[in-house]
Amino acid sequence: MTRILVAGGAGYIGSHCCKALAKAGFEPVVYDNLSTGHREFVKWGPLIQGDIRDGERLTTIMHQVKPAAVMHFAALALVGESMTDPQSYYDVNVVGGLRLLEAMLSAGVDKLVFSSTCAVYGIPDQIPITEDTPERPINPYGASKLAFERMLKDFDQAYGLKSIRLRYFDAAGADRNGEIGEWHEKETHLISLVIDAALGHRPPVRVFGTDYPTPDGTSIRDYIHVEDLAAAHLRAIEHLIASGTSETLNLGTGTGASVDAVIAAVEDISGRRVPVERGARRPGDPPKLVANPDRAASTLSWQAEKNLGDIVADAWRWHSSRNAFTQREAELQS
C-alpha cells in the first residue's frame, strides 16, 4: 500500500484528507504534535507524535516510513494571534516547514501537497481572485504561508522537489458520516460560531459591518466544504505521483455567501433562532472574498460539489452530536 505522510493529520482538514486517502487505497501516516489536533481524529492509519520543528525526528521518520509523498497541514493558523505573536508563526510555519523539506530531501521524497491560504493575497483589487492576483498579505499568518510557498518554488528549481500549493478560502462543514468535524479550542470560523450560538454554547454572534456594498450589507466569503477540500488534496497527490508539474491553485466554489446568509441557513436547518449583535466594520476586512477556481478545475479536474446548505447541514449534525456526547460525558463524571 502506498504511504502518504500527513503532517498535521490529526487536525480538522488533515483528518478529512486522511479519510479520503484511505478510501482511495493509500495509507495515511499521521505526524502531529497534537497541540491543536485530536488523537480521536486519527482513524485511518498510524499516528506518530512529533513536532514539525524537530528536524532530527522528522528525518528518522521520513526514512522509516518512506512515503511516496507528503501532505503538509502542520501550522499555526489564527490571523489575530499571528498579529500578537508573529515569532511563533514564523517559527512553526517557516522554520518548521524548512525542517520538513530537509527531512524529505534526506530521504529522497520529492512530492508535497501544501495547505496554503487565500490570506497570501491580503486585500485584493479585483474579485474573483485568481492565482495571478498580487500577493500582499496583511498579517504574519498570510506572510508566513507565502514565505513557505516561495521556499517550495526554490526547492523545486534547485532540487526537483515538486509541490502543489493549495490556497483555500473558508473551509467549513464536516464529514457527512459524522466521524470527524470542526473542533477547535479557539474557534474563529463563522459557521461554527453561528451554530454554537444557536446551540446556546456561545454569546450572540457579532456581525462586524452592516453597510458593505453587498446585497444585504454584510461581508461575503467563499465557503468550501471540507470534503471538497479533501477531494482536491487527493487529486493533487495523484497529480504529483503521475509526474505532474508543480502548481499553485485556488480552492473555492467561485461563489460567496454573506454573513446574514450563513445565519439564515443555520436558522433554517436547525429550526433555532441565532442571537446576533451588530456592530461596526473591523479594520482591514474586505467586503467580498471569492475565488476563481478555474485553474484547479483544469489542472486537477476538480470542482467543489457542495453548497452552503450542504455545509451547514453537515456542520450542524456534527456539532449537535458532539454536544450530546459532551453532555453525556459530563453526566458520567458528575
Side-chain angles (χ1 to χ4, degrees):
M1 185 177 291
T2 303
R3 290 176 172 172
I4 307 296
L5 185 72
V6 185
Y12 172 44
I13 299 172
S15 60
H16 285 81
C17 289
C18 286
K19 182 174 183 177
L21 285 168
K23 186 176 180 181
F26 294 95
E27 181 186 10
V29 178
V30 172
Y31 183 86
D32 200 301
N33 67 2
L34 301 181
S35 61
T36 57
H38 306 282
R39 191 180 299 273
E40 302 95 312
F41 281 8
V42 184
K43 300 172 180 283
W44 296 278
L47 167 65
I48 300 171
Q49 195 163 344
D51 194 281
I52 194 70
R53 295 162 293 184
D54 188 343
E56 184 176 346
R57 179 159 174 75
L58 264 175
T59 299
T60 299
I61 296 305
M62 202 72 67
H63 281 271
Q64 290 176 347
V65 173
K66 297 182 174 64
V70 172
M71 281 188 181
H72 178 29
F73 302 93
L76 298 180
L78 298 177
V79 170
E81 183 181 69
S82 78
M83 299 292 286
T84 59
D85 186 16
Q87 178 180 353
S88 293
Y89 275 71
Y90 285 105
D91 186 30
V92 174
N93 297 357
V94 181
V95 176
L98 178 59
R99 298 289 91 85
L100 177 63
L101 294 184
E102 290 169 343
M104 290 176 65
L105 291 180
S106 172
V109 181
D110 61 357
K111 300 172 181 66
L112 182 142
V113 175
F114 176 49
S115 167
S116 193
T117 171
C118 65
V120 301
Y121 296 116
I123 301 177
D125 297 327
Q126 291 185 319
I127 300 293
I129 299 170
T130 72
E131 292 83 356
D132 297 320
T133 297
E135 298 150 348
R136 297 185 295 235
I138 60 172
N139 51 66
Y141 166 60
S144 65
K145 287 284 193 172
L146 182 59
F148 186 69
E149 281 196 24
R150 290 172 172 166
M151 196 186 303
L152 287 173
K153 293 179 181 179
D154 291 339
F155 273 59
D156 185 357
Q157 183 174 357
Y159 311 117
L161 195 156
K162 300 300 179 186
S163 64
I164 301 289
R165 287 85 61 179
L166 297 175
R167 295 173 174 173
Y168 29 91
F169 282 61
D170 286 61
D175 168 57
R176 73 187 75 181
N177 297 322
E179 292 184 275
I180 46 179
E182 191 161 13
W183 176 6
H184 300 125
E185 298 305 321
K186 296 179 182 179
E187 188 56 74
T188 61
H189 293 171
L190 177 67
I191 290 176
S192 291
L193 291 173
V194 173
I195 288 174
D196 279 349
L199 287 167
H201 294 168
R202 295 182 185 273
V205 174
R206 299 185 67 187
V207 177
F208 297 99
T210 59
D211 58 348
Y212 284 106
T214 61
D216 61 22
T218 62
S219 60
I220 291 174
R221 296 294 182 266
D222 191 340
Y223 297 98
I224 179 169
H225 199 293
V226 66
E227 287 189 338
D228 284 330
L229 285 177
H233 284 74
L234 176 60
R235 295 284 181 88
I237 282 288
E238 293 170 340
H239 170 89
L240 291 177
I241 290 176
S243 300
T245 59
S246 297
E247 302 283 350
T248 299
L249 304 172
N250 286 341
L251 295 183
T253 64
T255 60
S258 70
V259 174
D260 276 355
V262 168
I263 293 170
V266 171
E267 290 184 333
D268 180 59
I269 287 168
S270 69
R272 301 190 182 200
R273 187 186 70 83
V274 176
V276 174
E277 290 181 355
R278 299 181 183 273
R281 301 185 191 185
R282 288 182 300 192
D285 274 354
K288 186 175 182 180
L289 291 175
V290 175
N292 179 331
D294 290 349
R295 188 176 296 178
S298 62
T299 303
L300 303 179
S301 299
W302 170 91
Q303 63 181 8
E305 297 181 354
K306 297 175 181 291
N307 59 31
L308 180 64
D310 300 322
I311 290 171
V312 171
D314 289 342
W316 175 259
R317 189 180 306 113
W318 158 255
H319 283 274
S320 299
S321 63
R322 182 165 172 261
N323 176 52
F325 173 78
T326 302
Q327 287 181 339
R328 288 195 298 272
E329 287 291 293
E331 290 167 1
L332 290 172
Q333 293 174 10
S334 62

